[in-house]
Amino acid sequence: MKNKGKEPNRKSKQSLKNIALLIIAAELVLVSLSLYDSVLAWVLLLVGCGTVIRVAIYANFYNHLPSIRTLNLLAILSVLGLIYSGLTLGFLLGMVNLLVLACALKLMQVRSQRDVYQLILSLFFLIGCGFIFNQSIGLSIFYFLMSLILLLSLAFYHAPSINLKIQLKTVTILSLQALPIGLLLFLVLPQLPPLWQTPKSKSTKTGLSEQITPGDIAALSQSSKLAFRATFLGAVPIARERYWRAIVMENFDGKTWSIAPHRKQLRSKQALFEQEFSPTLTGTYIDYDVIAEPTHQKWLFALDLAIPRDYTSDNNIWQSDDFRLINEQKLVSKYPYKLRSYTQALSKQVFSKTDQQLNLMVPKFGNKKTKEWVKTLRNNNPSNSEFVQALLLYFTQQSFVYTLRPDVMLVDPIDKFLFDKQAGFCSHYASALAYSLRLGDVPARIVTGYQGGELVQENNQAPYLSVYQYDAHAWVEAWTDNQGWHRLDPTALVSPDRINFGLRQAMLEEGSFLADSPFSLARLTNIAWLNSVRLFLADLDYDWSRWVLGFNQQKQQDLFKAILGKLTSDRMSLLGFTIVVIIGLLLTLFFLPHWLNRRLDKTQRYYLQALNLFEKNGTCRANWQGPNDFSQQVTQQYCEKVSQPFTQITQCYLHLKYQNKALISDNRSNTRQNHKMMNKNLRAMKKALTSAN
Amino acid sequence: MTLLQDYLDKWLDKRIPAADRHTLNHQNIFIFPAKFGGVFLLLCMLLFLLGTNYQNNLMLILCYFLLGIFLVNLLASYINFARINVKIGKCPEVFVKDNLHIPLWLNANSHGSLTLNGLLDFKFQTRQTKKQQKLTPDSITQVDVNDFSNPINISHRCKDRGKLVLSRLTISSVYPLGLYRCWTHLAFSHEIIVFPSPLPCEIELHKHQQPTSKKGTKIHDQQTGHDDFSHLKAYQVGEPLYHVAWKQLAKGRGMVSKQFSTLSSQIGWLRLSSSHQGGSEITTAQKLETELSKLSFQVIELSRTGQTFGLDLGQTCIVPNNGSSHRLVCLKALALYDNRSASL
């Protein structure tokens, strides 16, 4: 029960005018801005309103909180609005929006201690949700800073009149003490699998698209965003062998290539009966781990024909019969998986009737010139391999140009491309070649994915490849009786630089590499230090996603194995016990200085030590004797070697204990100096006394 | 309920015996997660669930970090609270129904390096049922340790005359982050006596100690000119300060005190009249209280005017005297007057 008379006093101390509320308001703004993509604009507006109200109250512009009734009305309206827009948002985003909204409304009406606590807890939770959407190093640091600031506001709330510097110190010390404990818990506490299915965010799909229409595109937009990283356990394949398959397109309507609907049906049927396709595995293989960036799609990247290499990957990844890897869930955050690729196995696969049907389908109409051209070519080359060679020869003999800014080819795009413009990028070439092959009765399809990547090879680290969005590529896979499925890349014939050195090198003359983003770090690689900064950042990001984001059950067990040698239950329980002991020790360590400090303060301790020395030598300080009196007595009784240090000790003691504290300007360093002096004199005295004896 | 309460009280008396100075340590500090701390743990659990379900390591790290903060706060809270040392100061005199302001000296002679922080709540323990509590809300005094001046005055409402029964003082704090509540129940040894509240009335001075006749010999106090100034005299220690002629002092003539002519002649006795006896027990007690209150007023008045008087309460008699110490003795006698023994 609170006394009414005391109420105003209490209020002014702990609420309304407290700077903690201002900090919380600022924090809410920052956190919701960091979720800019996910939070609705009008919710952000409400956050702004709440903040303005808080600032106005703090600065005394305005003294009335909005009434509860107004706020309730506002809350009802907002929730209705949220339900209305929530239908398109999906569950997760809806909940995040609701949380931000609740925080904003709470901020407007904070009156009591409980409100502040609720607000702070909601903000902590919001920060936690922020990690669902953003996991980059920068934003993670930002979120942890936000948590610290939240702790700071909590500290301000409970001690309103301490200045910022001391509060910062308190919170920093607390966090530094908590951090090792937190990390230890993170490393040791079991990493559980998801307990139940969680709603995923609906977000724009990024990366490759599931269909390509080469003729429609006037300029390929590129981005220097990371697509995925691959760490190789053995040798890294050479640059022109790094074809990362992602999507296979077998359906062509004369303009657009897309995934065959039949394959999709087949796959869902297979999934229903759990008949996963298993390819025949022959030849040499390469082992590697991939960490894919979020694409909000299901397909994964792999070299040639690949199979999952460990249990978890195997569980999640579905092998499709067009040798694609499909993940069970969409990649909403960074996703690690382990693969083994058989580089020569593609040619040894079974060629089914479905495959043949799908890969020979050609639209009846359009592209007449090409049809005629292929007809004559096919008549001249009866064998399949000769026919293929003749087609490829056409690309090398004619003056084809590789460009990122081709002309638009809307009608009969392949005719226009092959005989008229003769300039385009990878999908133009792939499309033209695949179509021609099909016309000549050779089964062919387009595969899109990535080609190349930036290799980082350091001495004591496994080499890794960073593949960026601008490495996106399209090529052709054709099937012949003696070669099976094999890769044909017409782009490689036209622009060998693209395949051997990457897009940057290939576009050197045209200058169209990342033309849309002139300040992209990837574009400025010729400036040496900028490039090294870029590579360093990439390295950092790699380690971050590998060790922090990618830390899972497997890695945890590896860690335990590295510590314990073998994973027996005895050793595990011993480890658990040790961890508890370590945490206990850490806490003791934090507590120790206080305990030592408290036992006696230094001034008194030194003085008492000096007195004890005299007591041993038979001189006791009488009860009635003040320090000065006793000092005089010592001067009379002992030689100068003993008495002089003691006089100084006495003086320091008196100085520290009885001098007016306000008069001493620099309190701390002064005290420290005095303590040093006392200690020195004490030792001198001890020496003199023992030598006298 | 009461049995448990009694047991707890006994235990507390043993653990934290009454003293006029307390330094807090593990002997007398209690610590437990505050309500907010509990909710904080719930938040950690929620973050853990969310982090596990989304397989999000950063969320897990945040969760464990907050857990670490929670653990570390246990010590931080304790360390801060253990820096308190309280001493009870000298209380002013207090009458029934007054609010006694008990001065507490907080860390009065502490050392600069060990600074206490945060807000402290002071509250006297109450042994009341909930219904009663609503009627008489006990006050919480909140002190911001970083911005206060010694001594802290803690008000306590005095209900009964006699020796003050001071319940244990609860000091609590949730510094630094409100996750833990540290508290202690301190008992202070004191010699506070609550005097009967003065009730204005006519002053009745009796000539004789023993009541010889009914009311014949009583001197009616007709002190219309009681402060008639007669002469100045050198000041003697013990004389009331309000008799000092300050004007003379200011003129540099030393401390001289004013003497009044009519006062010195009247020496009399204040007597507890027996009129309160008779009637039912409750009314008797009430009447006694009013009588004591009246006497209290008279004692104060007479002392104020520096008159010499004695006090006769039947069981105790105080010989006529004057001065502030006499006043105190008389008031104490009134406060400690035992009505049961009187009525027997």
Side-chain angles (χ1 to χ4, degrees), chain A residues 67-82:
Chain A
S67 74
I68 297 280
R69 195 189 287 174
T70 322
L71 279 173
N72 282 344
L73 197 69
L74 191 60
I76 290 171
L77 283 176
S78 323
V79 168
L80 283 178
L82 202 59

Side-chain angles (χ1 to χ4, degrees), chain A residues 31-243:
Chain A
V31 172
S32 37
L33 278 182
S34 80
L35 295 171
Y36 183 77
D37 288 339
S38 328
V39 178
L40 296 168
W42 62 268
V43 176
L44 280 180
L45 211 67
L46 275 179
V47 170
C49 285
T51 312
V52 167
I53 288 176
R54 274 299 142 198
V55 172
I57 286 172
Y58 185 76
N60 260 338
F61 294 143
Y62 186 71
N63 269 326
H64 303 284
L65 285 170
S67 74
I68 297 280
R69 195 189 287 174
T70 322
L71 279 173
N72 282 344
L73 197 69
L74 191 60
I76 290 171
L77 283 176
S78 323
V79 168
L80 283 178
L82 202 59
I83 290 172
Y84 176 70
S85 40
L87 293 176
T88 53
L89 278 176
F91 182 73
L92 181 70
L93 282 184
M95 282 300 122
V96 169
N97 271 299
L98 188 66
L99 199 59
V100 176
L101 183 72
C103 285
L105 291 175
K106 198 85 209 168
L107 187 65
M108 288 183 200
Q109 69 122 104
V110 169
R111 278 159 219 268
S112 64
Q113 192 177 35
R114 218 174 109 192
D115 294 334
V116 175
Y117 284 161
Q118 280 174 0
L119 195 55
I120 284 173
L121 289 176
S122 315
L123 271 169
F124 268 127
F125 197 69
L126 195 62
I127 289 173
C129 288
F131 284 130
I132 299 178
F133 302 100
N134 306 308
Q135 296 185 15
S136 65
I137 301 181
L139 274 168
S140 307
I141 292 172
F142 167 78
Y143 281 136
F144 274 104
L145 268 180
M146 285 292 120
S147 324
L148 292 195
I149 288 174
L150 217 48
L151 290 178
L152 184 73
S153 73
L154 211 50
F156 261 120
Y157 189 66
H158 289 111
S161 40
I162 301 180
N163 63 20
L164 180 68
K165 219 168 122 191
I166 296 173
Q167 293 282 28
L168 269 177
K169 202 178 138 198
T170 319
V171 170
T172 318
I173 288 175
L174 278 179
S175 319
L176 285 181
Q177 289 176 340
L179 202 64
I181 296 176
L183 287 181
L184 210 61
L185 287 174
F186 172 68
L187 290 177
V188 172
L189 282 188
Q191 290 261 341
L192 301 178
L195 303 174
W196 60 80
Q197 197 75 27
T198 44
K200 298 284 190 261
S201 64
K202 264 196 218 165
S203 216
T204 46
K205 297 171 180 180
T206 53
L208 304 171
S209 64
E210 293 196 330
Q211 55 180 32
I212 49 174
T213 316
D216 284 359
I217 304 164
L220 194 63
S221 62
Q222 306 148 31
S223 122
S224 55
K225 264 195 182 164
L226 188 71
F228 63 92
R229 286 209 175 90
T231 314
F232 288 90
L233 303 186
V236 188
I238 53 168
R240 63 168 180 278
E241 293 297 325
R242 294 178 201 148
Y243 280 89

Side-chain angles (χ1 to χ4, degrees), chain B residues 3-125:
Chain B
L3 218 103
L4 192 75
Q5 198 76 263
D6 285 347
Y7 180 77
L8 265 178
D9 282 350
K10 259 185 206 159
W11 180 77
L12 265 178
D13 283 339
K14 225 180 189 179
R15 195 167 175 88
I16 315 172
D20 59 348
R21 171 194 287 273
H22 287 282
T23 303
L24 297 195
N25 51 28
H26 61 276
Q27 272 271 310
N28 44 23
I29 292 179
F30 305 97
I31 185 164
F32 200 73
K35 215 188 267 171
F36 177 59
V39 186
F40 191 82
L41 279 184
L42 214 70
L43 169 85
C44 288
M45 219 162 80
L46 259 175
L47 279 177
F48 176 78
L49 282 181
L50 208 67
T52 307
N53 274 342
Y54 278 93
Q55 295 284 290
N56 194 318
N57 282 339
L58 293 173
M59 230 188 278
L60 286 178
I61 291 178
L62 180 70
C63 160
Y64 295 142
F65 170 70
L66 292 182
L67 219 59
I69 288 275
F70 187 78
L71 277 181
V72 168
N73 247 281
L74 176 69
L75 294 182
S77 237
Y78 174 82
I79 287 173
N80 182 60
F81 204 63
R83 283 172 187 160
I84 293 178
N85 96 57
V86 232
K87 192 188 162 193
I88 194 165
K90 210 170 172 189
C91 290
E93 51 187 49
V94 65
F95 298 91
V96 171
K97 286 179 200 160
D98 274 1
N99 260 335
L100 170 61
H101 292 285
I102 301 166
L104 280 183
W105 295 80
L106 188 68
N107 289 11
N109 46 2
S110 71
H111 325 291
S113 56
L114 301 173
T115 44
L116 177 66
N117 292 318
L119 301 171
L120 291 184
D121 284 337
F122 291 83
K123 186 189 172 226
F124 280 105
Q125 270 185 332

Side-chain angles (χ1 to χ4, degrees), chain A residues 535-559:
Chain A
L535 285 177
F536 172 74
L537 288 180
D539 236 19
L540 208 65
D541 191 54
Y542 170 71
D543 287 332
W544 175 254
S545 39
R546 209 166 125 85
W547 295 114
V548 181
L549 304 180
F551 187 81
N552 53 18
Q553 220 169 350
Q554 183 72 43
K555 287 216 168 94
Q556 193 175 36
Q557 272 182 10
D558 290 349
L559 184 78

